[in-house]
């Protein structure tokens, strides 16, 4: 499903509604809601919405369990940390128990952070990870989470969490892998801004003459993908 909104704020408001609905449905069917969060500017707006009313009081935060889909290999106090951003935008403002938060740890190396996080996931989920909702973004180069073009993490079939080194500058990353992502019950992509229009066209209008993009490996085994775009990101899509 693809929905196009006027601007990033409208995307965030609608995404907060979807998050709350998914949470209520999961809590009703199994007593808890388990989501994987993404980094980036659009999710930040979503987290700020969730920290406001009505969601701050309406969501049963004590039944919400939060994981991160990816992280930069930096200390949790670093401005680049997704965990820090989520705390500032959401977690410091809602009554979620600290024990319900599962951030990616900052260990001695990105590889060690990844294996510790894998253990955390395996302890929580047992044999099969299944997020009720996985939030994802999309980079102009087709990356999602921290699954970048040309990296070994794209071919991972065994590990649930991998370290990864994006091209160019910037810290190493730790990312969930496709075997975990594709077991999610629901995936919500939030994509805004004009710089995303070409990649959105390539992925959703299937006008992709280049090598396959990482995001095209998002193919849930038994789950739904929803795309929330703003007009700018949807600017190259053919009219429905
Ligand atoms: C991150 C995410 C990354 C992000 C995209 C899009 O932590 O940055 O891993 O995949 O979702 O790069 O980011 P924007 O929404 O900020 O453009």
């Amino acid at each position: 499903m693809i929905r196009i909104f006027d601007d990033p704020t409208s995307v965030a408001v609608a995404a907060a509604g979807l998050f709350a609905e998914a949470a209520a449905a999961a809590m009703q069917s199994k007593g808890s809601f388990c989501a994987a969060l993404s980094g980036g500017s659009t999710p930040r707006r979503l987290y700020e919405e969730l920290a406001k009313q009505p969601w701050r009081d309406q969501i049963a935060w004590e039944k919400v369990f939060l994981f991160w889909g990816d992280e930069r290999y930096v200390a949790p106090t670093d401005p680049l940390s997704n965990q820090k951003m989520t705390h500032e935008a959401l977690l410091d403002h809602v009554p979620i128990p600290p024990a319900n938060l599962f951030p990616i740890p900052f260990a001695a190396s990105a590889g060690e952070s990844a294996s510790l996080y894998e253990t955390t996931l395996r302890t929580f989920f047992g044999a099969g990870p299944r997020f009720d909702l996985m939030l994802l973004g999309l980079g102009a180069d087709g990356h999602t989470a921290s699954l970048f073009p040309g990296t070994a993490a794209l071919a991972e079939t065994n590990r649930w969490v991998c370290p990864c080194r994006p091209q160019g500058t910037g810290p190493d990353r730790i990312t969930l892998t496709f075997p975990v992502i594709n077991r999610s019950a629901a995936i919500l992509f939030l994509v805004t801004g004009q710089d995303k229009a070409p990649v959105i066209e390539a992925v959703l209008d299937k006008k992709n003459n280049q090598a396959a993009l990482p995001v095209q490996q998002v193919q849930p085994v038994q789950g739904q993908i929803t795309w929330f775009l703003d007009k700018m990101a949807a600017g190259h899509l053919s009219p429905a």
Side-chain angles (χ1 to χ4, degrees), residues 71-222:
E71 185 57 280
R72 287 151 183 85
Y73 178 62
V74 294
T77 50
D78 190 289
L80 291 175
S81 160
N82 282 344
Q83 185 191 159
K84 176 180 162 70
M85 180 276 273
T86 319
H87 269 278
E88 288 171 355
L90 173 63
L91 304 174
D92 295 349
H93 313 288
V94 293
I96 186 162
N100 291 14
L101 303 177
F102 297 89
I104 297 177
F106 180 56
S109 66
E112 199 178 319
S113 293
S115 42
L116 286 172
Y117 205 49
E118 174 129 1
T119 303
T120 300
L121 291 185
R122 288 189 187 271
T123 305
F124 186 89
F125 286 106
R130 185 159 170 87
F131 288 100
D132 298 309
L133 180 65
M134 162 97 41
L135 298 174
L136 289 174
L138 174 65
D141 61 356
H143 80 260
T144 191
S146 284
L147 293 155
F148 289 89
T151 56
L154 300 184
E156 187 60 51
T157 54
N158 205 16
R159 283 182 296 174
W160 293 3
V161 191
C162 266
C164 160
R165 178 158 295 171
Q167 280 179 343
T169 53
D172 285 355
R173 308 274 190 119
I174 297 102
T175 187
L176 299 191
T177 56
F178 289 117
V180 175
I181 291 172
N182 285 333
R183 289 184 58 113
S184 304
I187 293 175
L188 174 61
F189 278 99
L190 302 177
V191 189
T192 61
Q194 201 167 17
D195 60 319
K196 305 290 172 64
V199 70
I200 282 292
E201 180 187 27
V203 175
L204 296 181
D205 259 356
K206 312 269 185 290
K207 288 186 187 154
N208 181 19
N209 303 319
Q210 319 148 15
L213 301 165
V215 68
Q216 290 166 318
Q217 287 179 244
V218 178
Q219 291 167 11
V221 187
Q222 215 188 349

Side-chain angles (χ1 to χ4, degrees), residues 21-46:
E21 263 175 41
M27 286 170 196
Q28 200 174 18
S29 70
K30 62 183 177 69
S32 65
F33 173 62
C34 183
L37 304 177
S38 61
S41 49
T42 313
R44 183 183 187 113
R45 286 197 181 87
L46 158 64

Side-chain angles (χ1 to χ4, degrees), residues 4-26:
I4 300 168
F5 298 88
D6 279 346
D7 50 42
T9 301
S10 315
V11 170
V13 169
L18 186 149
F19 184 101
E21 263 175 41

